[in-house]
């Protein structure tokens, strides 16, 4: 009894409900003998992975669904042991190099070469090459991406790569030029509503279009999220109506609390209170950029119109710093201090001229 | 002087006791006896005192030409001339000692030959005439001793008093005294100036004075005295003296009495001595007096009235302004040691000097600086805003107050070594005395050295085959050629008395060692008076360089133990400690049975003591050494002395309650100085006390370091001045690395950035480098907890605004600092940016937020949070790894989107619905390949409303869940290679589950067996491939049948026992499992497979 989002996942290109153009192009690709390296990119919850799996299935047949997980151990140059999970079927192999953080280069170098140097074992396979799916390609380090460049050309006889990224920004140009870029846009709200409707139908749940629309809007056009929200609504309230609140995820609630704290009192003491909560978020694996972004939006909801641009401005400023720096909490705290000060100055009628 | 005093008291008390014995076999304490006797027979006493008085009188009247008179006559004279005596009070006491001597001599002739030394007592006797003979002998001895001492001490005493007077600043008195010499004057003086000093004696015997006076009255009539009484009398008289001095009005005769006994009562002597010394002073120190007089004094402001409600705000002064005219005046350089003997107190803010500078200035010129004014203070250097308490004291004691200019003037005008002023003289005398002691010590040292050398030489001779008897020849061989030993060895103490400081501790240690074998007889059951009897080992701990090792060796040597030593140069791992010590612990020393040629066998040497030095140096290479050593210390059959620097370290914990702790402290400057002077003397060096003090202070009383410093200096010169000493100790300074707490406390304290602060930017950066990994983290942790000093001038809304402004600036500076940090620790490795980092992340934020701490300094929470986030992100990764076959999201999506829903559907459901829903939950988990650990991780990963603290699953639901989960087999996507072996054991210890187990032992057993079976099948299925679970179940079953070999292999790997056949393995496993049933059973098997 898996969750809806996984249970209802379409498994073939034909079953995909939206982006029909893309689906047809993919099936054309699959049927051709030549399959290029590809880079799928698009926001999360748009259906990239689903499309890739469907694509693989149409290339190799149902065999790709017989997958297993292998744990491999790699040694870094310093002798540290890295554990690494590989999901694989006979025809393809799926890796997430960012699992090993900064050592992803080792994995890319060793693993890819190893795979590339062996030929397809199954003589009945429809294609001579194997496919390596690289998840989170945009978080690959530069080194790892550089290691990828030459491999992609040299071993193209045996291996095709499918890279998966949220945006192409993190991918170096040489790689972009070696791949076929396939953009998977987020589904539109009506498309999401359609999916939600389908989902409720399979579950024999009451169909509430207004609720679905709300969910689609709240989900930020993230289909995965929308489905999970839908299920959450039905899980918490057995008999939902149009007005039923959509339970926000835990971390979002905490960030909302932080925003309230900041508005309620502005003092160094309060910064300490907020710091504890920020620490909580960070330790519980909420990425800092997500924290600062969410916090910013929550603050924007709560402040005067004139202050909104300031909130965003500083959020952007410190988000950049989070990327540049190493100790995230420093920048988050600086943002909080800045917001408090700006807020206080504004309400003291002093204008927003800092310094 | 102190020795004299001691002698005096000792002597004084002895006398009465002996006397008492003879007179009446009264076992009562001496003092009492003395008194009693007096009470019984006042008359007799009187007679006793008379003679003395008489003598004195004579002396006075004739000034230093004592005439031997028959005592009787003198006494009668005396009685007659009571009034006279009064007038003559002012006669210089100085003369008296001489008189005494002379009288003594005269007296001695009539009395016994023995009495030559202690003439006075004998004279007394003679006065007593006929009766006293019997005890006289004893007495004379005692007294003689006392008297001798007195004579020696006389000069000193005068000097002392002189000095005191000067300090008290009673020039007027002196003058007047001189001119009149009237007793009344004297009184006044004492009243004002010496009150305190006088007090001491009065305390001792307040009644004595009264008695005496009474006695004096009797004197006139009294003729017949029993010898005994006489004997006791002197002692009482002595005591009375003291009281007298307090109440000077008493009779002249009292004073006269004093003379012989002067010495004995330190304080009383002062009073009397003053008179005498006055004159001296006058004569000697006219110029000095002129100088002293010419020093402009400043009237101390009247201390503000004490308002009990209004507490003096010490904090108010905390960031007092810098000296207003800082640097405008150049402090003078005076003659060397010109402030010798003077004591200064600084209070308030001086005009141009920082207080430390002022103090250094005084010290450099040989003066002494104390923190609180007292009667011994010569000058108070007064600045602005002096503390009210100090002003009060000044007013009370009528101390001389000068300002900075006065101090400069003093330094400019005083001749070297303080000229011939009283203070200087006293100082000089004190020095002389010290010198004498030093010379004696040096001589002693030399003697022992020589003896040692002799012994050595003798031994050598013996070894050479010569006969040892030719002691002459060996003697001729002079001391061995230049001693090549380090000074620290050369001058290591050879007797307890030579140890600097910690004498009590050394003695305690010695006692312990002495009684050790005795204690051993009682199996260390008897604690003994100091509680040391139950310990087989002692632990000396204290900072380096204060003689711990030396003390241990010394004590062992003195107690005749043979020493086995082990220190950090030996490897001391657990094994080696155990093996190595086994050889030592049950043995006795060979030295108890054999010895070198020509030496006697010393039976006492048979005893062994084990000295374990540098115990806290047991570290990386000495794994388990501390524990092993502690274990040995518990049952050793040989005394052990362990030595370490830091007793409280966690790694020294095993020694708690095992060893007897003997803490050593840093000796005081005085203790060290004496020893150092001795050494300098022996080495022919001349180091002034101020230099030694500078060294002592600079090295934090590390004797070893100071000796090394001196010995280094000796290489190229003979002396050293104050600044050299300072410079040297600065150069040799042990840099103390501050702890993170201290660092942040220092940088954030309000003085650091106050305008008056002398700390430069570099100093602040230096602070950061005390611990560059922690300092900025500590600052970040604490910078918001201060009351920033910068906002003190604001109030209301503006204040809050300012506060936020500073907080914001500090925070953004820290943020800047982090960017620099990244450049340093990131790929760029630009270590040269460290100072930049220091400024951005440490100094600059502190410059905004410095101020008083409102709360405790907290420790860096970043570290804990960081490691926690590491742990939790591992959980998420694992969850994602498990869910991967089903869910397409990456780990962030899993955490942010799946987890809240999964939590709702598992944890929340269990919490709300209880155990009925357990199967559903397990089903959901299985569908995502989530394990029980993932479930726990999920609970831990909750935030805010979902946080772990808010999860309250009722124990029955929990138990059911656990049981059911364990009872079933679960699909498992794969096994982590690393989790196969180690973590399994740890995971079994989940306390929650214990209830469940208890509740259903029987069931569990059954369930377990079933599980076993399942498992076996499972095992087969999984044998080598981590095939996707659902499919596995079908496919694998087939595989199991076809490939039993693979299965076996897997099992073997799973069980370290190895060789057994699969079934057996399972059995043994199941038994274990029954005891601690958990999810474990099923997993155990599977994991094994994974490994294979």
């Amino acid at each position: 009894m898996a969750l809806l989002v996984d249970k209802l996942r379409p498994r073939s290109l034909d079953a995909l409900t939206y982006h029909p153009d893309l689906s047809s192009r993919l099936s054309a690709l699959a049927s051709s003998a030549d399959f290029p390296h590809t880079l799928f990119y698009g926001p999360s919850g748009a259906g990239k992975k689903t499309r890739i799996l469907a694509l693989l299935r149409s290339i190799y047949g149902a065999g790709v669904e017989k997958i297993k997980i292998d744990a491999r151990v790699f040694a870094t140059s310093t002798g540290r042991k890295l554990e690494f999970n590989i999901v694989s079927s006979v025809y393809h192999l799926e890796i997430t190099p960012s699992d090993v953080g900064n050592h992803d280069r080792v994995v890319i170098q060793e693993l890819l070469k190893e795979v590339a140097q062996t030929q397809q074992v199954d003589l009945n396979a429809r294609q001579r090459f194997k496919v390596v799916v690289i998840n989170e390609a945009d978080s690959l380090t530069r080194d790892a991406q550089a290691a990828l460049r030459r491999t992609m050309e040299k071993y193209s006889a045996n291996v095709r790569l499918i890279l998966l990224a949220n945006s192409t920004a993190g991918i170096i140009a040489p790689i972009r030029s070696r791949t076929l870029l396939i953009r998977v846009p987020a589904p539109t709200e009506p498309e999401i509503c359609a999916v939600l409707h389908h989902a409720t139908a399979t579950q024999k749940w009451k169909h509430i279009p207004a609720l679905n629309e709300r969910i689609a809007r709240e989900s930020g056009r993230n289909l995965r999220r929308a489905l999970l929200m839908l299920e959450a609504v039905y899980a918490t309230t057995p008999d939902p109506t149009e007005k039923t609140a959509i339970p926000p995820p835990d971390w979002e609630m905490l960030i909302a609390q932080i925003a309230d704290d900041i508005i309620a009192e502005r003092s160094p003491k309060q910064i300490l209170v907020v710091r504890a909560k920020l620490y909580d978020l960070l330790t519980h694996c909420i990425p800092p950029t997500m924290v600062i972004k969410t916090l910013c939006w929550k603050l924007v909801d709560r402040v005067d119109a004139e202050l909104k641009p300031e909130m965003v401005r500083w959020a952007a400023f410190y988000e950049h710093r989070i990327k540049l720096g190493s100790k995230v909490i420093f920048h988050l705290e600086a943002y909080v201090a800045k917001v408090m000060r700006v807020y206080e100055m504004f309400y003291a009628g002093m204008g927003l001229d800092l310094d | 002087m102190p020795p004299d005093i001691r002698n005096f008291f000792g002597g004084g008390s002895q006398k009465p006791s002996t006397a008492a014995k003879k007179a009446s076999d009264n076992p009562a304490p001496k003092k009492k006896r003395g008194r009693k006797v007096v009470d019984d027979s006042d008359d007799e006493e009187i007679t006793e005192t008379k003679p003395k008085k008489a003598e004195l009188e004579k002396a006075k009247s004739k000034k230093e030409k004592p005439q031997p008179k028959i005592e009787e006559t003198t006494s009668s004279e005396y009685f007659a001339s009571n009034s006279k005596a009064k007038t003559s009070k002012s006669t210089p006491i100085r003369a008296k000692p001489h008189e005494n001597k002379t009288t003594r001599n005269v007296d001695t002739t009539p009395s016994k030959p023995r009495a030559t030394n202690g003439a006075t007592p004998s004279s007394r006797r003679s006065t007593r005439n006929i009766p006293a003979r019997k005890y006289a002998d004893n007495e004379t001895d005692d007294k003689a001793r006392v008297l001798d001492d007195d004579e020696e001490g006389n000069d000193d005493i005068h000097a002392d008093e002189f000095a005191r007077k000067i300090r008290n600043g009673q020039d007027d008195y002196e003058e007047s005294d001189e001119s009149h010499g009237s007793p009344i004057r004297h009184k006044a003086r004492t009243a004002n100036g010496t009150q305190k000093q006088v007090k001491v004696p009065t305390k001792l015997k307040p009644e004595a004075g009264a008695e005496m006076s009474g006695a004096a009255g009797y004197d006139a009539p009294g003729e017949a005295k029993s010898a005994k009484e006489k004997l006791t009398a002197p002692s009482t008289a002595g005591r009375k003296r003291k009281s007298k001095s307090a109440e000077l009005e008493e009779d002249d005769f009292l004073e006269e009495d004093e003379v012989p006994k002067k010495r004995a009562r330190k304080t009383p002597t002062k009073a009397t001595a003053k008179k005498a010394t006055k004159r001296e002073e006058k004569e000697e120190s006219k110029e000095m007096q002129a100088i002293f007089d010419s020093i402009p004094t400043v009237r101390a402001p009247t201390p503000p009235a004490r308002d009990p409600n209004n507490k003096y705000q010490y904090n108010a002064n905390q960031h007092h302004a810098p000296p207003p005219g800082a640097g405008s005046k150049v402090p003078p350089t005076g003659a060397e040691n010109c402030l010798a003997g003077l004591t200064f107190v600084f209070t308030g803010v001086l005009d141009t000097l920082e207080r430390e500078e002022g103090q250094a200035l005084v010290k450099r010129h040989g003066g002494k600086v104390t923190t609180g004014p007292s009667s011994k203070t010569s000058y108070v250097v007064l600045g602005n805003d002096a503390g009210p308490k100090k002003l009060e004291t000044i007013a009370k004691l009528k101390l001389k107050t000068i300002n900075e200019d006065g101090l400069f003037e003093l330094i400019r005008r005083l001749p070297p070594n303080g000229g011939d002023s009283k203070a200087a003289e006293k100082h000089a005398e004190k020095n002389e005395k010290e010198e004498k002691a030093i010379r004696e010590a040096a001589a002693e040292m030399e003697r022992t050295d020589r003896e040692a050398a002799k012994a050595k030489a003798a031994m050598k001779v013996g070894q050479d085959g010569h006969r040892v008897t030719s002691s002459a020849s060996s003697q001729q061989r002079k001391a061995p050629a230049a001693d090549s030993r380090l000074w620290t060895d050369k001058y290591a103490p050879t007797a307890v008395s030579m140890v600097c400081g910690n004498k009590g501790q050394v003695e305690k240690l010695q006692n312990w060692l002495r009684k050790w074998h005795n204690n051993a007889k009682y199996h260390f059951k008897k604690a003994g008076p100091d509680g040391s009897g139950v310990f087989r080992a002692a632990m000396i701990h204290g900072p380096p360089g204060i003689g711990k090792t030396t003390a241990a060796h010394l004590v062992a040597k003195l107690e005749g133990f043979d020493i086995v030593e082990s220190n950090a140069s030996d490897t001391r791992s657990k094994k080696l400690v155990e093996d190595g010590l086994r050889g030592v612990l049950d043995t006795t020393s060979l030295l108890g049975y054999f010895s070198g040629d020509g030496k006697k066998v010393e039976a006492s040497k048979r005893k062994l003591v084990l000295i374990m030095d540098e115990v806290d140096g047991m570290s990386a290479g000495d794994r388990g050494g501390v524990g092993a050593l502690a274990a040995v210390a518990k049952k050793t059959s040989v005394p052990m002395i362990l030595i370490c620097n830091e007793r409280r370290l966690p790694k020294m914990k095993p020694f708690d309650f095992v060893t007897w702790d003997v803490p050593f402290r840093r000796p005081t400057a005085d203790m060290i100085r004496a020893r150092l002077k001795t050494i300098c003397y022996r080495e022919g060096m001349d180091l002034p006390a101020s230099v030694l003090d500078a060294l002592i202070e600079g090295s934090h009383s590390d004797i070893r370091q100071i000796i090394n410093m001196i010995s280094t200096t000796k290489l190229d010169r003979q002396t050293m001045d104050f600044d050299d000493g300072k410079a040297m100790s600065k150069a040799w300074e042990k840099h103390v690395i501050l702890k993170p707490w201290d660092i942040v406390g220092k940088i954030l304290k309000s003085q650091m950035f106050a305008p008056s602060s002398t700390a430069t930017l570099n100093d602040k950066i230096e602070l950061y480098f005390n611990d560059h990994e922690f300092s900025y983290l500590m600052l970040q942790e604490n910078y918001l907890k201060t009351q920033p000093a910068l906002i003190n001038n604001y109030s209301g809304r503006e204040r809050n605004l300012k506060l936020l402004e500073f907080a914001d600036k500090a925070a953004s500076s820290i943020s800047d600092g982090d960017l620099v940090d990244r450049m340093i620790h990131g790929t760029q490795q630009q270590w040269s940016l460290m100072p930049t980092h220091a400024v951005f992340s440490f100094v600059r934020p502190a410059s905004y937020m410095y101020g008083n701490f409102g709360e405790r300094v907290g420790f860096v929470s970043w570290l804990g949070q960081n490691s926690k986030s590491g742990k939790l992100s591992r959980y998420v990764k694992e969850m994602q790894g498990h869910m991967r076959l089903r869910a397409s999201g990456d780990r962030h999506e899993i955490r942010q989107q799946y987890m809240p829903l999964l939590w709702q559907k598992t944890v929340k459901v269990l919490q709300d619905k209880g155990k009925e829903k357990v199967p559903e939950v397990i089903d959901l988990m299985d569908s995502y390949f989530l394990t029980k650990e993932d479930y726990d991780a999920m609970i831990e990963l909750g935030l805010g409303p979902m946080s772990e603290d808010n999860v309250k699953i009722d124990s029955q639901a929990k138990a059911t869940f656990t049981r059911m989960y364990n009872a079933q087999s679960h699909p498992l996507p794969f096994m982590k290679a690393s989790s196969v072996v180690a973590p399994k054991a740890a995971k079994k210890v989940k306390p929650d589950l214990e209830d469940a187990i208890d509740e259903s032992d029987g069931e569990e057993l059954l369930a377990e067996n079933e599980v076993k079976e399942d498992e076996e099948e499972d095992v087969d299925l999984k044998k080598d491939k981590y095939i996707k679970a659902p499919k596995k179940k079908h496919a694998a079953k087939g595989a199991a049948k076809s490939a039993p070999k693979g299965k076996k292999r897997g099992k073997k790997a799973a069980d370290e026992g190895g060789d057994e056949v699969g079934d057996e393995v399972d059995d043994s496993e199941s038994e274990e499992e029954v005891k601690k049933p958990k999810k474990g059973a099923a997993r155990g098997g599977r994991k094994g497979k994974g490994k294979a």
Side-chain angles (χ1 to χ4, degrees), chain B residues 1019 1023 1045-1055 1085 1088-1089 1092:
Chain B
V1019 167
K1023 71 183 173 190
K1045 268 181 197 169
K1047 164 183 165 188
K1048 226 181 220 169
R1049 211 196 313 138
K1051 258 184 221 150
K1052 258 184 215 166
D1055 199 283
K1089 245 167 287 139

Side-chain angles (χ1 to χ4, degrees), chain B residues 27-99:
Chain B
K30 297 163 190 179
K31 260 192 185 178
K32 269 191 180 174
R33 240 187 240 161
R35 251 194 229 164
K36 253 190 202 167
V37 178
V38 174
D39 293 344
D40 294 349
S41 54
D42 288 348
D43 306 5
E44 293 148 14
E45 276 183 333
I46 295 154
T47 49
E48 233 220 10
T49 48
K50 277 180 211 164
K52 290 177 213 157
K53 291 169 200 164
E55 288 170 7
L56 298 173
E57 261 186 281
K58 290 172 213 165
K60 287 174 206 160
S61 56
K62 288 168 192 175
K63 276 206 178 172
E64 290 146 18
K65 281 293 160 182
Q67 295 173 355
K69 287 178 188 175
I70 302 169
E71 276 76 3
E72 286 162 4
T73 49
T74 44
S75 61
S76 61
E77 268 181 28
Y78 169 71
F79 296 137
S81 63
N82 250 356
S83 56
K84 277 183 211 164
K86 269 181 196 165
T87 50
S88 64
K89 259 185 200 165
S90 61
T91 46
I93 296 172
R94 248 209 195 172
K96 289 171 195 170
H98 299 291
E99 289 171 351

Side-chain angles (χ1 to χ4, degrees), chain B residues 874-940:
Chain B
R874 263 201 316 281
Y875 286 168
V876 174
K877 244 188 231 171
E878 193 137 316
M879 271 175 76
Q880 194 248 340
H882 291 162
M883 291 170 69
R884 187 161 188 169
L885 294 174
R886 269 299 159 84
S888 57
D890 65 20
R891 61 177 187 277
H892 297 303
E893 282 153 350
I894 296 286
R895 168 65 188 89
Q896 289 165 44
Q897 295 163 14
Y898 275 91
M899 216 212 80
L901 182 57
L902 283 175
W903 188 87
Q904 289 285 356
K905 293 205 142 201
T906 54
V907 183
K908 190 83 194 303
V909 164
L910 279 186
Q911 183 177 327
D912 293 347
K913 308 267 170 64
K915 58 180 177 183
E916 309 87 82
K917 292 283 180 177
V918 168
E920 240 171 78
V921 170
I922 292 180
D923 185 35
L924 176 65
M925 281 171 63
D926 281 352
S927 72
Y928 278 100
F929 307 102
L930 292 175
T931 63
K932 184 77 184 350
E933 286 91 57
D934 293 329
Y935 168 82
D936 294 328
M938 213 145 53
I939 293 181
E940 208 171 322

Side-chain angles (χ1 to χ4, degrees), chain A residues 57-77:
Chain A
R57 191 179 150 102
S58 67
I59 295 177
Y60 296 107
V64 284
E65 284 177 354
K66 290 185 180 172
I67 52 175
K68 61 171 186 177
I69 301 180
D70 263 329
R72 290 281 302 272
V73 176
F74 295 94
T76 65
S77 51

Side-chain angles (χ1 to χ4, degrees), chain A residues 8 46 114 122 140 145 161 184 187 190 273 278 303 344 349-350:
Chain A
L8 303 179
E114 182 190 311
D122 186 355
L140 280 176
Q145 295 192 34
L161 295 182
V184 184
V273 173
L278 289 175
V303 298
E344 190 74 13
M350 296 191 44

Side-chain angles (χ1 to χ4, degrees), chain B residues 109-144:
Chain B
T109 29
S111 67
K112 293 169 193 175
R114 259 192 227 154
T116 31
N117 289 339
T120 19
S122 62
S123 68
R124 260 180 235 149
R125 246 187 268 139
S126 57
T127 43
R128 286 163 223 145
N129 265 343
I130 324 111
R133 264 259 167 136
K134 314 164 205 166
Y135 6 83
D137 297 3
N138 295 334
E139 286 175 346
T140 39
D141 287 350
D142 293 345
K143 287 172 191 165

Side-chain angles (χ1 to χ4, degrees), chain B residues 366-490:
Chain B
K368 199 170 144 196
V369 178
T370 57
T371 49
S374 73
S375 56
K376 288 186 182 161
T377 308
S378 329
Y379 287 102
V380 177
V381 184
L382 207 60
N384 300 322
D385 304 331
K389 184 79 217 282
K390 277 183 184 164
L391 290 180
E392 237 168 61
T393 324
I394 292 165
K396 207 165 83 197
L397 299 174
K398 299 230 165 75
L399 297 175
K400 258 197 215 172
T401 52
I402 55 175
N403 61 11
E404 202 178 77
D405 294 328
L407 176 64
F408 290 170
E409 195 66 14
L410 262 182
I411 292 172
R412 250 181 243 125
R413 299 193 45 185
L414 281 176
N417 291 321
D420 50 0
S421 73
K422 302 171 230 167
E425 222 164 68
K426 174 213 146 199
H427 183 74
E429 260 152 40
K430 206 171 136 202
N431 280 353
E432 213 169 89
K433 217 188 214 160
E434 260 173 30
E435 210 118 285
K436 202 172 153 201
I438 287 160
R439 248 174 271 134
E440 275 163 17
E444 162 94 19
M445 222 190 269
E446 222 169 291
R447 214 185 55 237
T448 50
D449 272 6
R450 222 177 290 131
E451 271 164 22
K454 228 190 274 171
K456 221 183 188 176
M459 215 168 73
K460 223 182 189 177
V461 173
Q463 283 167 352
D464 289 348
H466 294 291
R467 291 185 73 195
V468 192
T469 47
S470 61
S471 61
S473 68
S474 65
Q475 264 174 349
Q476 279 164 1
R477 285 197 186 202
K478 270 211 163 172
D483 197 339
S484 62
R485 287 177 297 170
L486 286 179
W487 284 20
T488 42
D489 288 338
K490 202 158 140 194

